[in-house]
Amino acid sequence: MRGKRTATGAALAAGALAVTGLAFAPTAAAVTPQTATINASCGIFGGGAATLTATQSGNAATITLTSSAIKAPVAVAQDSITSTLTLVKASGGTTVFSGTKNPAMPSGSAVSVGPLPGTVASGDSLEAYGGSLKMVIFGVTVTCKATAKQSPGPFVFD
């Protein structure tokens, strides 16, 4: 009987520690809004509506850009586009998200790059208007710029 009480006491203590751990666990950081739309101009490469999707985990954040209005001029292999997305900070300066993440895209398909990693601080408010997306595809640089502010508004990071 004594062994059963000890086991029950140990189980209760472990359960109490687990509940305490949950109570003090940090909450996941959140960015709002999680998606925003822009109208982008990419010069001779076209332009149109694009969607930006943001995620955040602490100071690490990612942005993915997709657009069915902007088409891949040639077939592109997975992870072969070097992309640099520069967003403007409301407090001044810029934040850069860059990498070589993209799905394989046949010629004429919708363009998608990301998730592109970057670093943010709590309270950062980032906007695509005034920034740019530079993509290097087979040595050719394609630069896209937002033609107006993003909707519904800038990304605000916790």
Side-chain angles (χ1 to χ4, degrees), residues 29-132:
V31 57
T32 53
Q34 292 180 330
T35 61
T37 57
I38 60 169
N39 193 25
S41 173
C42 303
I44 63 170
F45 298 99
T51 300
L52 298 169
T53 304
T55 65
Q56 179 185 7
S57 178
N59 288 345
T62 64
I63 306 267
T64 301
L65 179 138
T66 56
S67 175
S68 57
I70 303 168
K71 306 292 185 186
V74 295
V76 178
Q78 180 177 347
D79 299 337
S80 64
I81 299 174
T82 301
S83 301
T84 304
L85 175 64
T86 303
L87 299 179
V88 177
K89 285 185 181 183
S91 61
T94 59
T95 298
V96 175
F97 295 82
S98 62
T100 56
K101 292 302 254 178
N102 64 274
M105 295 176 270
S107 178
S109 69
V111 167
S112 179
V113 294
L116 303 173
T119 303
V120 296
S122 180
D124 276 355
S125 177
L126 304 179
E127 165 71 53
Y129 186 63
S132 66

